[in-house]
């Protein structure tokens, strides 16, 4: 038996191996297709990208036909280079450079020689393409923008780089991919599926027909259409209100977390990033470090939140039991808090409780509340961690998890923060009291401010903000339908909401009321500093306003940040009121506010900075040249170092 076992195993193993080899070499052609066999040529059919609609079904982004000239360097024969270059409006130097680049990629594989020809260029070259062996057309689909706003939301389409091609087998040289915005976030759905056709070639490299009668051919599948949560009318209106200003507007539907508007200023027409001029225009936008039109201030810009943060200071004070609705503090245009320190306040009645402390925006009231919170446990480190955790339950100090590819965490300090700042100890509530009024070490983005107001409107919970509303045949990610509950009891929100309501009735925003709409809001003014010539200089304050409406069953929560806009009710407040009325009524009755805001330009405030270097002046001219083409929404162009630079993604 032992003598038979070993030979039997060898015979069985050999038989299985031979059967597998026969199958792979004779029956199955898939490996043959994957190999670089010169006798088989692959042609790709590129699908249309999915269409993009707003929440009401308005078409925002469609497609248009485009043609790339592809080249296989090894198949290029002698040609009239001069005629070729004249036909495509290019220099001989460019021709040589592009050919060398294609050879480096691969002499045997096709690569893009010239991309995104328009119809007239395609027609002219098509007539003579038979004269240019080794060149052929590849039809592709480019974006066709139906609107001239929302560039920061959509993102753009660009060619894949070699690094991505090597990592992702779906993409080939010359393929297009979504970058930034929803084009990047939903690339896998929007791009569709490429079709492939295989052709047999003879020994002279001529096509002689379909390989295996098209057995392995596949057809292209168009990308999925998506509906965004954006209200196109509201988005357009917000961008118009922010012309000649700098900042961001974020509006959210509290009941769902859907983003209704995501405005950044300055902005530009998304159509300029389509076609042969796309790269040139993108480069000009990217290098405009003065206006920073590619920098999405709604998601990326981090600011001290100012007075709107007092809302959270009050809620935490109530939760921690250091105050109640009737707790009274006395304010004499501010208060002293040791060692000659004095915090100024606005003129109002001396006696302040929670309700009028909110609508009067009393610094004294909330500074006292904050110090009681930090002193509660006779342990500042423990207390500041408890305070920090309350804030983080509102989604602050962390990435929010929304469905856009860019963002910042903001900053909520904790005991570790102050241990680093004060390694020898000695810090206490009076040291960090600026946190109480949204200054100090607290930093937030506009979308975090808007989500904070949505949470207050919901009396203690929120849904992760998101920009997708519907994808046909696909469910929305569960993370966007999961309720996040804060650490603040629901009962404490009602008195705070009452105070916010009276901000519009008798408080700091009473001049911004919209008849018939119950709006709850809070003005804010955040100090702003910049370095000019190496010196730290105080500039015009940032104007901030947060609100939601209606008071009962809220439909919209909003945050408006206008850099160097001054007092909160001066510019940001009117914009918030106008946006709320526009969304709820689709019309404007406060035409006085609208006229004033549309006519307001902040260019003169930035011009006071002066001292621009030659490099900055040259960047100004770059921005001016684009503006003159009327493709970018007009904006001011001055440099402020209050936001961080964006990394290039092209």
């Amino acid at each position: 038996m032992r003598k038979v076992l070993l030979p039997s195993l060898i015979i069985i193993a050999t038989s299985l191996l031979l059967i597998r080899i026969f199958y792979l070499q004779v029956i199955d052609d898939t490996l043959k297709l994957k190999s670089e066999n010169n006798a088989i040529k692959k042609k790709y059919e590129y699908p249309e990208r999915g269409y993009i609609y707003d929440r009401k079904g308005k078409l925002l982004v469609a497609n248009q036909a485009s043609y790339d000239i592809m080249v296989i360097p090894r198949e290029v024969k002698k040609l009239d280079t001069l005629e070729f270059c004249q036909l495509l409006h290019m220099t001989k130097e460019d021709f040589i450079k592009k050919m060398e680049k294609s050879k480096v990629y691969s002499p045997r594989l096709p690569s893009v020689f010239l991309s995104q020809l328009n119809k007239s260029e395609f027609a002219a070259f098509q007539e003579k393409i038979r004269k240019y062996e080794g060149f052929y057309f590849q039809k592709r689909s480019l974006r066709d923008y139906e609107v001239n706003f929302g560039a920061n939301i959509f993102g753009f389409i660009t060619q894949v780089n070699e690094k991505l091609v090597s990592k992702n087998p779906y993409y080939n040289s010359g393929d297009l991919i979504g970058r930034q915005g929803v084009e990047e976030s939903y690339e896998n759905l929007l791009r569709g599926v490429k079709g492939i056709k295989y052709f047999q070639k003879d020994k002279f490299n001529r096509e002689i027909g379909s390989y295996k009668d098209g057995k392995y051919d596949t057809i292209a599948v168009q990308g999925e259409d998506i509906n965004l949560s954006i209200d196109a009318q509201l988005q357009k209106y917000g961008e118009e209100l922010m012309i000649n200003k700098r900042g961001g507007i974020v509006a959210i539907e509290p009941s769902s977390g859907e983003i209704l508007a995501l405005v950044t200023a300055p902005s530009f027409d998304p159509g300029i990033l389509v076609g042969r001029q796309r790269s040139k225009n993108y480069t000009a936008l990217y290098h405009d470090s003065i206006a920073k039109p590619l920098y999405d201030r709604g998601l990326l810009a981090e600011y001290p939140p100012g007075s709107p943060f007092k809302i959270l200071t009050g809620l935490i004070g109530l939760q921690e039991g250091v105050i109640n609705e009737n707790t009274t503090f006395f304010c004499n245009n501010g208060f002293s808090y040791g060692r000659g320190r004095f915090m100024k306040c606005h003129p109002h009645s001396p006696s302040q409780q929670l309700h009028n402390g909110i609508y009067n925006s009393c610094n004294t009231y909330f500074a006292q509340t904050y110090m009681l919170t930090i002193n509660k446990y006779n342990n500042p480190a423990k207390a500041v961690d408890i305070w920090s955790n309350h804030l983080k339950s509102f989604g602050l100090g962390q990435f929010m998890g929304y469905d856009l590819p860019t963002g910042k965490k903001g900053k909520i300090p904790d005991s570790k923060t102050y241990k680093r700042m004060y390694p020898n100890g000695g810090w206490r509530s009076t040291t960090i009291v600026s946190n109480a009024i949204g200054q100090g070490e607290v930093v937030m983005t506009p979308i975090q401010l808007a989500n904070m107001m949505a949470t207050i409107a919901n009396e203690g919970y929120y849904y992760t903000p998101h920009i997708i509303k519907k994808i046909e045949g696909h469910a929305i990610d569960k993370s966007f339908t999961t309720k996040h509950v804060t650490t603040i009891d629901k009962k404490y929100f009602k008195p705070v909401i009452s105070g916010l309501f009276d901000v519009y009735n008798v408080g700091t925003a009473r001049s911004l009321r919209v008849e018939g709409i119950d709006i709850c809001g809070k003005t804010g003014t955040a100090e702003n500093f910049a370095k000019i010539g190496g010196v730290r200089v105080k500039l015009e304050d940032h104007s901030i306003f947060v609100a939601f409406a209606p008071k009962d069953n809220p439909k919209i929560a909003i945050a408006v940040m206008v850099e160097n806009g001054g007092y909160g009710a001066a510019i940001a407040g009117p914009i918030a009121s106008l946006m709320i009325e526009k969304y709820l009524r689709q019309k404007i009755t406060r035409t006085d506010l609208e006229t004033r805001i549309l006519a307001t330009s902040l260019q003169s405030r930035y011009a006071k900075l002066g001292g621009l270097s030659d490099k900055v002046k040259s960047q100004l001219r770059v921005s001016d040249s684009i503006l003159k083409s009327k493709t970018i929404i007009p904006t001011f162009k001055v440099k402020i170092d209050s936001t961080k630079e964006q990394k290039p993604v092209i």
Side-chain angles (χ1 to χ4, degrees):
M1 187 66 181
R2 291 181 180 178
K3 292 180 180 180
V4 176
L5 180 60
L6 183 58
S8 298
L9 289 174
I10 294 173
I11 293 170
I12 293 171
T14 303
S15 300
L16 291 173
L17 184 60
L18 291 173
I19 292 170
R20 181 58 177 167
I21 293 172
F22 176 81
Y23 175 77
L24 291 175
Q25 293 188 349
V26 179
I27 299 175
D28 187 7
D29 286 334
T30 55
L31 291 180
K32 185 178 181 181
L33 289 172
K34 292 178 181 179
S35 69
E36 295 297 334
N37 191 325
N38 292 330
I40 300 173
K41 182 178 181 180
K42 291 189 290 187
K43 285 187 178 180
Y44 290 97
E45 181 183 351
Y46 288 86
E48 280 196 87
R49 287 181 76 86
Y51 284 31
I52 300 176
Y53 300 85
D54 85 336
R55 67 186 294 110
K56 297 177 181 176
K58 175 181 172 60
L59 179 62
L60 303 176
V61 186
N63 298 301
Q64 57 182 305
S66 174
Y67 298 88
D68 292 349
I69 296 179
M70 308 293 290
V71 63
I72 303 174
R74 196 175 70 170
E75 297 179 9
V76 175
K77 308 300 180 184
K78 291 183 179 180
L79 63 113
D80 187 336
T81 307
L82 181 61
E83 179 191 56
F84 186 94
C85 292
Q86 288 177 342
L87 200 59
L88 294 173
H89 308 290
M90 63 189 303
T91 65
K92 185 176 180 180
E93 290 73 19
D94 284 339
F95 175 87
I96 295 172
K97 188 184 297 184
K98 290 179 181 294
M99 283 298 298
E100 289 300 322
K101 184 178 179 180
S102 296
K103 290 176 182 177
V104 169
Y105 173 72
S106 173
R108 297 182 294 107
L109 298 176
S111 60
V112 176
F113 180 81
L114 197 62
S115 64
Q116 301 180 10
L117 273 67
N118 58 36
K119 291 180 181 178
S120 60
E121 292 170 329
F122 167 68
F125 193 73
Q126 186 182 36
E127 292 181 3
K128 299 188 177 183
I129 194 170
R130 66 184 184 281
K131 297 171 61 176
Y132 308 125
E133 291 185 54
F135 293 92
Y136 68 93
F137 284 115
Q138 177 68 68
K139 185 178 179 182
R140 300 187 194 274
S141 176
L142 296 183
R143 281 315 204 183
D144 185 16
Y145 294 97
E146 308 299 309
V147 296
N148 65 352
F149 54 85
N152 61 309
I153 295 171
F154 304 138
F156 56 90
I157 305 299
T158 186
Q159 287 186 15
V160 295
N161 55 40
E162 293 181 13
K163 184 177 180 181
L164 181 60
V165 171
S166 64
K167 286 185 176 181
N168 191 327
Y170 177 84
Y171 297 101
N172 298 307
S173 177
D175 282 4
L176 302 176
I177 189 172
R179 289 295 191 197
Q180 297 186 7
V182 296
E183 295 281 17
E184 180 173 332
S185 295
Y186 292 96
E187 162 70 8
N188 290 346
L189 290 171
L190 289 169
R191 73 187 182 191
V193 180
K194 288 184 291 188
I196 306 178
K197 290 185 178 181
Y198 298 93
F199 294 91
Q200 187 79 41
K201 295 190 294 184
D202 63 15
K203 63 180 180 180
F204 300 107
N205 204 36
R206 296 174 300 192
E207 290 184 13
I208 58 175
S210 176
Y211 178 74
K212 293 284 187 180
D213 295 323
K215 176 181 177 181
Y216 299 102
D217 293 353
T218 60
I219 60 173
V221 179
Q222 182 174 345
E224 302 285 353
D225 296 342
I226 63 175
N227 284 78
L228 303 183
S229 60
I230 293 295
D231 183 296
Q233 185 182 31
L234 187 67
Q235 178 73 24
K236 180 181 179 182
Y237 189 57
E239 292 193 18
E240 289 171 350
L241 293 174
M242 289 295 287
I243 288 175
N244 289 321
K245 306 168 190 69
R246 181 178 181 180
I249 304 173
V250 182
I252 295 173
E253 183 180 64
S255 62
S256 65
E258 293 175 358
I259 299 172
L260 303 172
L262 180 60
V263 175
T264 183
S267 188
F268 58 93
D269 184 339
I272 69 170
L273 296 185
V274 176
R276 295 275 295 276
Q277 298 301 310
R278 186 202 64 78
S279 181
K280 178 181 177 182
N281 289 338
Y282 181 89
T283 300
L285 291 171
Y286 175 71
H287 287 292
D288 186 354
S289 62
I290 300 154
K292 297 182 181 178
L294 293 174
Y295 187 85
D296 192 331
R297 286 168 169 80
L299 302 178
L300 290 168
E302 298 172 295
Y303 307 91
S307 291
F309 194 79
K310 295 172 184 175
I311 303 168
L312 299 178
T313 300
L315 285 169
I316 294 172
L318 291 169
Q319 180 68 35
E320 289 298 311
V322 298
I323 61 166
N324 58 44
E325 293 179 53
N326 300 315
T327 301
T328 303
F329 297 111
F330 291 93
C331 177
N332 184 21
N333 292 328
F335 82 109
S336 300
Y337 56 99
R339 296 186 181 181
R341 296 175 181 173
F342 185 79
M343 179 178 284
K344 295 181 180 179
C345 195
H346 322 288
H348 50 66
S349 61
S351 179
Q352 295 291 300
Q353 297 177 328
L354 179 66
H355 189 77
N356 61 347
I358 291 174
Y359 70 69
N360 285 325
S361 195
C362 178
N363 288 342
T364 298
Y365 182 88
F366 292 100
Q368 296 274 35
T369 299
Y370 180 76
M371 289 196 297
L372 287 175
T373 302
I374 301 302
N375 293 334
K376 177 181 177 181
Y377 298 97
N378 295 318
N379 183 340
K382 177 181 178 181
V384 82
D385 283 339
I386 291 172
W387 169 82
S388 180
N389 289 334
H390 282 309
L391 294 172
K392 288 174 182 176
S393 74
F394 284 78
L396 305 180
Q398 55 200 305
F399 291 113
M400 300 193 69
Y402 47 72
D403 52 343
L404 286 166
T406 189
K408 290 289 181 68
K409 294 195 297 184
K411 184 177 180 182
I412 298 298
D414 55 18
S415 61
K416 293 180 181 178
T417 305
Y418 295 112
K419 286 177 182 177
R420 288 193 299 269
M421 292 178 64
Y422 303 96
N424 297 322
W427 63 274
R428 53 185 64 84
S429 63
T430 54
T431 312
I432 60 175
V433 69
S434 293
N435 289 332
I437 58 174
Q439 296 286 166
E441 286 67 56
V442 177
V443 178
M444 294 169 62
T445 61
I447 194 171
Q448 289 176 326
L449 277 167
N451 190 61
M452 177 191 81
M453 289 308 286
T455 307
I456 293 164
N458 290 334
E459 299 183 7
Y461 69 88
Y462 69 92
Y463 294 96
T464 299
H466 53 284
I467 207 155
I468 195 71
K469 184 171 181 65
K470 184 176 69 174
I471 308 170
E472 199 66 42
H474 296 269
I476 299 300
D477 194 304
K478 289 183 179 179
S479 64
F480 302 140
T481 57
T482 301
K483 183 184 291 188
H484 303 278
V485 181
T486 71
T487 55
I488 308 298
D489 291 344
K490 181 177 180 178
K491 63 182 179 181
Y492 295 125
F493 285 89
K494 291 190 181 297
V496 169
I497 290 172
S498 177
L500 294 173
F501 180 56
D502 275 343
V503 168
Y504 265 87
N505 293 319
V506 294
T508 54
R510 56 188 177 276
S511 64
L512 307 177
R513 291 182 63 191
V514 179
E515 196 65 35
I517 301 179
D518 293 336
I519 305 177
C520 300
K522 184 72 190 73
T523 53
T525 309
E527 292 184 333
N528 174 36
F529 295 88
K531 283 188 177 180
I532 303 176
V535 180
R536 191 169 184 262
V537 178
K538 188 179 187 306
L539 304 174
E540 192 78 35
D541 293 334
H542 294 323
S543 180
I544 309 169
F545 200 91
V546 295
F548 65 83
K551 178 175 178 286
D552 300 317
N553 192 22
K555 297 292 190 299
I556 180 173
I558 191 168
V560 181
M561 167 69 74
V562 181
E563 293 182 11
N564 301 82
Y567 178 53
I571 298 180
I575 290 174
S577 290
L578 290 168
M579 290 284 284
I580 286 171
E581 184 177 21
K582 188 73 169 179
Y583 181 67
L584 296 179
R585 291 178 171 168
Q586 288 78 54
K587 63 179 183 179
I588 295 297
T589 61
R590 289 299 307 267
T591 54
D592 57 322
L593 294 179
E594 183 181 60
T595 300
R596 175 162 66 86
I597 293 301
L598 289 174
T600 297
S601 170
L602 300 184
Q603 292 189 43
S604 61
R605 295 186 182 181
Y606 288 83
K608 292 178 183 179
L609 290 173
L612 296 177
S613 65
D614 290 338
K615 180 179 179 181
V616 171
K617 288 177 181 177
S618 68
Q619 291 168 337
L620 270 171
R621 287 194 290 273
V622 169
S623 188
D624 283 338
S625 67
I626 299 176
L627 292 174
K628 287 176 183 176
S629 70
K630 297 182 180 179
T631 55
I632 294 183
I633 296 173
T635 178
F636 55 82
K637 307 167 292 299
V638 289
K639 187 174 182 180
I640 295 293
D641 293 326
S642 57
T643 54
K644 297 179 181 179
E645 282 286 351
Q646 184 185 29
K647 298 293 185 183
V649 292
I650 190 168

